[in-house]
């Protein structure tokens, strides 16, 4: 099936910018929670396994689980910010270039935040796992690995910052125009 009716560019212009915005917001929160859950799974399983050898590590290494949970909170915060960017537009202006730009900006912001937090959750989970296993062997390594885990957690904050900057591009047409 060839022709202008099947082109991707036409399809992207025919989809409502509100649909793109909603998908972006859903990706921001959904993929961030997925990253947090995956990180908690990785850290938690290693923490429970290592706690068999050294039960003293359980309370100290819960900080790794908290870092993973912060990733989900980043996604919730950005989803709330993106939700406040949505504005009502007259039906005649839904497909105006300014509306499309706003929808794409919110969509792109959600994708960036979601996938940055997915990677951040994995990073923090893997480092938290190694922190628990190392702490079970040698307790002097805990603080050293925790510093590395803090740097890994900063990846999620970078995604949040970039997402907020990108969502600033979302300006819907005024109702009077």
């Amino acid at each position: 099936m060839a022709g202008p009716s099947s082109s991707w560019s036409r399809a992207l212009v025919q989809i409502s910018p509100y649909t793109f915005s909603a998908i972006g917001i859903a990706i921001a929160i959904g993929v961030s929670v997925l990253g947090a859950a995956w990180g908690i799974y990785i850290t938690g399983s290693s923490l429970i396994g290592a706690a068999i050898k050294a039960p003293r590590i359980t309370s100290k290494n819960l900080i790794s689980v908290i870092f993973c949970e912060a990733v989900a909170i980043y996604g919730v915060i950005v989803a709330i910010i993106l939700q406040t960017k949505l504005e009502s537009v007259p039906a005649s202006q839904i497909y105006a270039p300014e509306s499309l730009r706003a929808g794409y900006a919110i969509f792109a912001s959600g994708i960036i935040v979601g996938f940055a937090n997915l990677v951040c959750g994995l990073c923090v989970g893997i480092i938290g796992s190694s922190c628990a296993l190392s702490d079970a062997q040698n307790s002097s390594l805990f603080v050293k690995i925790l510093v590395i885990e803090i740097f890994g957690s900063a990846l999620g904050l970078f995604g949040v910052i970039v997402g907020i900057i990108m969502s600033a591009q979302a300006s819907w047409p005024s109702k009077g125009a």
Side-chain angles (χ1 to χ4, degrees):
M1 193 154 89
S5 63
S6 66
S7 71
W8 280 98
S9 61
R10 184 175 169 123
L12 291 176
V13 174
Q14 296 295 325
I15 297 172
S16 169
Y18 290 109
T19 302
F20 278 109
S21 299
I23 292 170
I25 293 168
I27 288 173
I29 194 167
V31 178
S32 294
V33 169
L34 178 67
W38 205 346
I40 291 170
Y41 167 73
I42 294 169
T43 297
S45 59
S46 294
L47 179 59
I48 290 170
I52 294 171
K53 180 184 183 299
R56 64 177 169 73
I57 70 165
T58 53
S59 60
K60 192 167 47 168
N61 280 279
L62 282 178
I63 191 75
S64 298
V65 175
I66 293 169
F67 280 150
C68 290
E69 189 61 37
V71 171
I73 294 169
Y74 296 157
V76 171
I77 290 169
V78 170
I80 291 169
I81 291 171
L82 295 179
Q83 188 70 29
T84 63
K85 297 282 186 183
L86 293 177
E87 295 177 11
S88 178
V89 174
S92 64
Q93 299 228 339
I94 287 180
Y95 294 103
E98 196 173 1
S99 294
L100 291 172
R101 181 177 180 208
Y104 295 149
I106 293 173
F107 177 71
S109 178
I111 287 179
I112 287 171
V113 170
F115 285 102
N117 284 331
L118 175 68
V119 173
C120 177
L122 286 171
C123 177
V124 171
I126 291 169
I127 296 171
S129 171
S130 66
C131 186
L133 296 173
S134 299
D135 188 24
Q137 294 294 322
N138 183 357
S139 62
S140 67
L141 295 174
F142 176 74
V143 175
K144 296 172 185 170
I145 296 177
L146 189 66
V147 170
I148 296 169
E149 191 170 9
I150 291 169
F151 289 129
S153 181
L155 294 173
L157 284 175
F158 294 149
V160 169
I161 292 167
V162 170
I164 291 172
I165 291 169
M166 288 197 66
S167 70
Q169 301 295 318
S171 61
W172 299 86
S174 62
K175 292 182 181 179

